[in-house]
Amino acid sequence: METLTDAKVPFLSPSGRRRFLKTLALTAVGGWAWSPGTAAAKIAPGSRIMTVRGEIAARRMGFALPHEHLMSTFGAASSELPRYDEVRLTAQVLPYLKRVKSLGCRIIFDCTAAYFGRDPRLLKAFSERSGLHLVTNTGYYGAADDRYVPVFVASESPSEIAARWLDEWRNGIGGTDIRPGFVKLAVDGGDLSDTDAKLIRAGALAHRASGLTLAVHTGNNPQAAYQQLAILDEEDVDPTAWIWVHAHAVEKSEDLLPAAQRGAWLSFDGLQLPDQGNDPVKKHLTLLTEMKRRGFFHQVLLSHDGNSFTSEGRLRPYDALFTALLPDLRSNGFTDREIRTLTVDNPARAFSIRVREKAQ
Ligand SMILES: [Zn+2]
């Protein structure tokens, strides 16, 4: 296990690094609160994260990327087991992981779902060889007009579908001992379809039985977000168990507020370097600043939705957070403590395995 003083925090000045390490040490020693008013935003003692190599303490997980894809077959035909050229894939992905680790990353949540490229066995090998913690998922991807939803979903009930995911949670995925660390779901545009609604309800049931967080690809579809929250409500699941994935894509940031006010997580996960007049870094900084002003800073997650091995062969990098956003945050007055909240504590709290029942 890595010691605290081994933790690389390259985004900090030397004095900032000392303060950061002191903060880490205080947090590890016991229950230190940031300040009055943020006590609820602490990582609860005993919280656990499930990685592909087993459970770790949420307080020890370090700098996180909560929404990336190490690899996927997205765009190709759906298949339960991906067929990768492992030699080529490893030659591409492993050096990239090492680079991201050298920038300060400690844990990546891999959001590639079953049926479009999830490969827990490869993830475990990459975790061992890179030294990064990696987390895989259970659940089905209901966006892309259901092309990655397995056929049996049509005839099964939400509880039957949830039972499949809970089997992976309890017994491991596909005959391995590798367990999922969250439930990954996705919904199509427009109102929730029957299939989308069924998968969200199955997710709520799986959450209640496992404590796994639900990360749902929703994007610029506030109506579908609220419909999902209504289903969670019917199943007595608190919105703090739910992540609005691709929340940065909404047209009007006010549309995020009804979900944020109820405690939902907002995943701003479209970070890429500026390109042809499009500046995602600036957009994320603006959204982040607004959420801070509105008091939802402790519910924001930051990531890239990157992909280091796609079916088209085009890499979507996941390092702009380190190379572009962090320097911008610092020059815009974000403190080391706030940066730590965003990149370490918020993801640790979001993915801690705990049943979150609706407050009665
Ligand atoms: Zn994604």
Side-chain angles (χ1 to χ4, degrees), residues 67 69 111 184 246 305 316:
H67 188 112
H69 301 265
C111 291
K184 172 69 193 294
H246 313 322
D305 195 18
R316 204 163 65 231

mmCIF file of all heavy atoms in Angstrom, residues 67 69 111 184 246 305 316, ligand 1:
data_model
loop_
_atom_site.group_PDB
_atom_site.id
_atom_site.type_symbol
_atom_site.label_atom_id
_atom_site.label_comp_id
_atom_site.label_asym_id
_atom_site.label_seq_id
_atom_site.Cartn_x
_atom_site.Cartn_y
_atom_site.Cartn_z
ATOM 1 N N HIS A 67 -15.214 9.239 -14.716
ATOM 2 C CA HIS A 67 -15.914 8.746 -15.915
ATOM 3 C C HIS A 67 -14.976 8.697 -17.116
ATOM 4 O O HIS A 67 -14.825 9.675 -17.845
ATOM 5 C CB HIS A 67 -17.135 9.610 -16.260
ATOM 6 C CG HIS A 67 -17.966 9.019 -17.361
ATOM 7 N ND1 HIS A 67 -19.234 8.531 -17.171
ATOM 8 C CD2 HIS A 67 -17.688 8.781 -18.668
ATOM 9 C CE1 HIS A 67 -19.700 8.046 -18.306
ATOM 10 N NE2 HIS A 67 -18.766 8.186 -19.240
ATOM 11 N N HIS A 69 -13.203 5.696 -20.220
ATOM 12 C CA HIS A 69 -13.276 4.370 -20.841
ATOM 13 C C HIS A 69 -11.843 3.972 -21.192
ATOM 14 O O HIS A 69 -11.222 4.634 -22.025
ATOM 15 C CB HIS A 69 -14.116 4.408 -22.115
ATOM 16 C CG HIS A 69 -15.527 4.883 -21.882
ATOM 17 N ND1 HIS A 69 -16.585 4.016 -21.686
ATOM 18 C CD2 HIS A 69 -16.048 6.131 -21.785
ATOM 19 C CE1 HIS A 69 -17.692 4.728 -21.499
ATOM 20 N NE2 HIS A 69 -17.391 6.006 -21.549
ATOM 21 N N CYS A 111 -16.256 3.274 -17.369
ATOM 22 C CA CYS A 111 -17.709 3.318 -17.596
ATOM 23 C C CYS A 111 -18.139 2.515 -18.815
ATOM 24 O O CYS A 111 -19.271 2.660 -19.284
ATOM 25 C CB CYS A 111 -18.152 4.772 -17.712
ATOM 26 S SG CYS A 111 -18.020 5.628 -16.137
ATOM 27 N N LYS A 184 -23.743 1.090 -14.079
ATOM 28 C CA LYS A 184 -23.713 2.030 -15.216
ATOM 29 C C LYS A 184 -24.962 1.814 -16.055
ATOM 30 O O LYS A 184 -25.244 0.687 -16.490
ATOM 31 C CB LYS A 184 -22.460 1.794 -16.055
ATOM 32 C CG LYS A 184 -22.424 2.576 -17.381
ATOM 33 C CD LYS A 184 -22.265 4.075 -17.154
ATOM 34 C CE LYS A 184 -22.542 4.857 -18.430
ATOM 35 N NZ LYS A 184 -21.573 4.636 -19.502
ATOM 36 N N HIS A 246 -22.755 13.210 -17.905
ATOM 37 C CA HIS A 246 -22.737 14.197 -18.997
ATOM 38 C C HIS A 246 -23.629 15.410 -18.687
ATOM 39 O O HIS A 246 -24.242 15.999 -19.578
ATOM 40 C CB HIS A 246 -23.150 13.586 -20.348
ATOM 41 C CG HIS A 246 -22.475 12.285 -20.663
ATOM 42 N ND1 HIS A 246 -21.159 12.027 -20.345
ATOM 43 C CD2 HIS A 246 -22.937 11.158 -21.270
ATOM 44 C CE1 HIS A 246 -20.847 10.795 -20.747
ATOM 45 N NE2 HIS A 246 -21.905 10.254 -21.298
ATOM 46 N N ASP A 305 -14.680 11.606 -20.042
ATOM 47 C CA ASP A 305 -15.323 10.650 -20.943
ATOM 48 C C ASP A 305 -14.323 10.282 -22.049
ATOM 49 O O ASP A 305 -14.679 10.179 -23.225
ATOM 50 C CB ASP A 305 -16.624 11.231 -21.531
ATOM 51 C CG ASP A 305 -17.493 10.161 -22.177
ATOM 52 O OD1 ASP A 305 -17.280 8.969 -21.888
ATOM 53 O OD2 ASP A 305 -18.365 10.523 -22.982
ATOM 54 N N ARG A 316 -9.453 9.215 -27.451
ATOM 55 C CA ARG A 316 -10.007 10.433 -26.844
ATOM 56 C C ARG A 316 -9.291 10.598 -25.503
ATOM 57 O O ARG A 316 -9.501 9.809 -24.591
ATOM 58 C CB ARG A 316 -11.524 10.280 -26.666
ATOM 59 C CG ARG A 316 -12.245 11.601 -26.595
ATOM 60 C CD ARG A 316 -13.755 11.456 -26.835
ATOM 61 N NE ARG A 316 -14.368 10.682 -25.786
ATOM 62 C CZ ARG A 316 -15.175 9.632 -26.005
ATOM 63 N NH1 ARG A 316 -15.462 9.252 -27.207
ATOM 64 N NH2 ARG A 316 -15.690 8.976 -24.998
HETATM 65 ZN ZN ZN B 1 -18.811 7.534 -21.264
#
